[in-house]
Amino acid sequence: MVTAYKHEPFTDFTIEENKLAFEEALKTVKEELGQKHDLLVDGQRIRTDQEIVSTNPANTKQVVGTVSKANQEVAEKAVQAASTAFEDWRKWDERARAELLFRAAGIIRRRKHEFSAYLVYEVGKPWKEADADTAEAIDFLEYYGRQMLELKDGKPIESRPGEQNRYIYTATGVAVVIPPWNLAFAIMAGTAVAPLVTGSTVVLKPASNSPVIAAKFVEVLEEAGLPKGVLNFVPGSGREVGDYLVEHPKTALISFTGSRDIGTRILKKAAEIQAGQQHLKQVIAEMGGKDTVVVDNKANLETAAEAIVVSAFGFSGQKCSSGSRAVVHEDVYDELLEMVKERTEKLTVGNASEENVYMGPVVDQNAYDKVMSYIEIGKEEGRLITGGKGDNSKGYFIDPTVFADLAPDSRMQREEIFGPVVCFTKAKDFDEAIEIANNTEYGLTGAVISDNRDHLEQAKRDFHVGNLYFNRNCTGAIVGYQPFGGFKMSGTDSKAGGPDYLALHMQAKTISEKF
Ligand SMILES: NC(=O)c1ccc[n+]([C@@H]2O[C@H](COP(=O)([O-])OP(=O)(O)OC[C@H]3O[C@@H](n4cnc5c(N)ncnc54)[C@H](O)[C@@H]3O)[C@@H](O)[C@H]2O)c1
Ligand SMILES: N[C@@H](CCC=O)C(=O)O
């Protein structure tokens, strides 16, 4: 019997003991930084001459680790190993596969601060964000393990006298898993273990900004007892290794999380039938967002200001769920803008390894350049209220930035910026606010701050997003509580951390027997 699923609690760093424990973990991990991490193919560790050097975005001189880099030859071996291992792994008892996930969750829970400390150094996560990322990784392991136990006997269907019918789920085959760097632990771990627990084998190509945390996770799975070939770890270039894995005729399932451009490229490539391919590839693609906080005229403005600031600036706006747009009723627009400005100016920006830093850096030079160029566009399209400055002398720091008076169809209000920038647009009434909120090609998350029940009901019906929140921020979905995934160009709406997610990784089989 397993206990009922409950999400992993977040660490309260105001408790001295927790704060000291985290500082200790940061110190220990700092001493470990710079290690070399190998590829893993068919249970064999491989060290290559070519390496990915992972550095701390808050202090670019600090090397977090170097990770061997796969090429197409290694990728080929990884697919072949996964294909061979599949024949045995798919026959494992579902309970044994689920228990492996529970063991891995236990290992991570015991070393929770160590993993969070790696996230602080590798992607510049402030303490709380790093802690939440690790907690979510644990949640995915615990939740998907339990989901597999629920699905292991299939789902009930009707039988008739003399005829017994069954509906069961079977494993798919070789799964290629391509995660992003932003929820560097949670999404990487969650998207890797979902196919694993269903009996598929995995080739994991981590994001190049966060390969060290992925290498640490692979070690955990080995320690938990994962057999050789079942998970193969091949960090490498997206174009070279990513494309190769996606196109491979033995790839049966692709689980991608990342940008719209790469996601749509993968969907297209996966649809092309390769020589020797005998199946259609299943694709899960969770992509970008342009997420809106809508504020009504009858609303608690304290709640609204808090929701806008948390949604926009948590992890420096580098979440697909980040609320980069505020669409506000004209009656409360000026007052709310002033409240958001005040709150924003109180936020602390700095090296995420220090306590009480609200916002760390953005992840790399490309991200820095991209966000700074959007800030220039913002100055032309709107009115700069606060922020707007960056400093990349030591790390990639950008001030939390607020723009006002953006046209609904401006570039700032349509394109994903993926940085600490929020843009205000005025709406004459609630109907117009929802219309503006829906006017992007994305449909991932959204929030409505309103005390008007009719308007909340209207938003349920008409606000076209996969994750809709009322009277709170639009980030921070919790596994098992707020299954996550978007509409439109935000993806295939797979709802990670939800009851339907595992089924997307399997093939349903109907078995009918006459007596
Ligand atoms: N919807 C979601 O659940 C969700 C969650 C997190 C992030 N995101 C989105 O991810 C993006 C940020 O992450 P990112 O910068 O890592 O995205 P990205 O698209 O640049 O990269 C994602 C992954 O794809 C790989 N990749 C790159 N080129 C490839 C190719 N040609 N073939 C195969 N793989 C390739 C990368 O190496 C990385 O592992 C944002 O758009 C964000 O909104 C979405
Ligand atoms: N699931 C996360 C976002 C993942 C994308 O970056 C959230 O709900 O904030």
Side-chain angles (χ1 to χ4, degrees), residues 176-183 187 205-209 236-246 256-263 265-266 269 285-289 291 318-321 363 370 416 418 442 444 484-486 490-491 494 496:
V176 167
V177 175
I178 307 179
W181 54 266
N182 70 330
L183 269 282
I187 294 181
K205 194 216 80 62
S208 298
N209 279 322
S237 132
R239 283 271 159 161
E240 191 194 346
V241 171
D243 275 355
Y244 188 82
L245 293 171
V246 166
F256 167 82
T257 313
S259 62
R260 172 205 187 282
D261 288 356
I262 304 295
R265 177 186 169 91
I266 286 176
K269 283 196 173 290
E286 291 306 317
M287 311 191 289
D291 310 304
Q318 299 174 111
K319 300 181 190 181
C320 54
S321 53
V363 78
K370 180 180 164 194
E416 187 181 43
F418 221 56
Y442 294 108
L444 188 45
F484 192 79
S490 290
S494 65

Side-chain angles (χ1 to χ4, degrees), residues 136-149:
E136 191 173 343
I138 295 172
D139 287 347
F140 278 130
L141 289 156
E142 296 282 4
Y143 184 78
Y144 292 148
R146 284 167 177 76
Q147 284 295 309
M148 194 61 229
L149 295 179

Side-chain angles (χ1 to χ4, degrees), residues 100-101 104-105 108 115 119 132-145 177-198 202 204-207 210-211 213-221 226 231 233 255 257 479 496-497 501-502 505:
L100 198 146
L101 266 56
I108 298 166
F115 290 100
L119 291 167
D133 196 338
T134 304
E136 191 173 343
I138 295 172
D139 287 347
F140 278 130
L141 289 156
E142 296 282 4
Y143 184 78
Y144 292 148
V177 175
I178 307 179
W181 54 266
N182 70 330
L183 269 282
F185 196 4
I187 294 181
M188 178 272 304
T191 52
V193 301
L196 283 180
V197 79
T198 63
V202 166
L204 170 65
K205 194 216 80 62
S210 56
I213 189 72
K216 302 295 292 177
F217 177 61
V218 171
E219 285 171 16
V220 170
L221 291 179
L226 201 69
L231 179 127
F233 179 58
S255 178
T257 313
V479 172
Y501 189 67
L502 288 191
H505 298 72

Side-chain angles (χ1 to χ4, degrees), residues 56-182:
N56 181 348
N59 170 10
T60 51
K61 291 204 169 67
Q62 187 172 48
V63 174
V64 176
T66 52
V67 182
S68 282
K69 195 172 176 188
N71 54 20
Q72 292 186 358
E73 200 185 318
V74 175
E76 176 63 31
K77 285 188 183 143
V79 175
Q80 296 303 343
S83 175
T84 306
F86 177 64
E87 283 316 312
D88 189 44
W89 179 244
R90 73 186 176 88
K91 295 177 201 145
W92 269 46
D93 188 277
E94 289 85 353
R95 236 179 249 110
R97 291 201 298 256
E99 280 166 8
L100 198 146
L101 266 56
F102 300 147
R103 279 199 296 282
I107 294 168
I108 298 166
R109 193 177 285 114
R110 283 192 290 280
R111 293 163 46 196
K112 201 168 165 180
H113 292 337
E114 175 194 335
F115 290 100
S116 302
Y118 267 100
L119 291 167
V120 169
Y121 292 118
E122 189 163 41
V123 288
K125 288 212 161 184
W127 293 18
K128 274 190 183 171
E129 298 281 346
D131 182 66
D133 196 338
T134 304
E136 191 173 343
I138 295 172
D139 287 347
F140 278 130
L141 289 156
E142 296 282 4
Y143 184 78
Y144 292 148
R146 284 167 177 76
Q147 284 295 309
M148 194 61 229
L149 295 179
E150 274 190 26
L151 292 176
K152 72 182 173 47
D153 299 320
K155 290 213 169 143
I157 50 169
E158 304 305 323
S159 287
R160 297 182 288 193
E163 179 192 80
Q164 193 199 48
N165 298 320
R166 287 191 64 210
Y167 185 80
I168 57 164
Y169 293 102
T170 64
T172 298
V174 175
V176 167
V177 175
I178 307 179
W181 54 266
N182 70 330

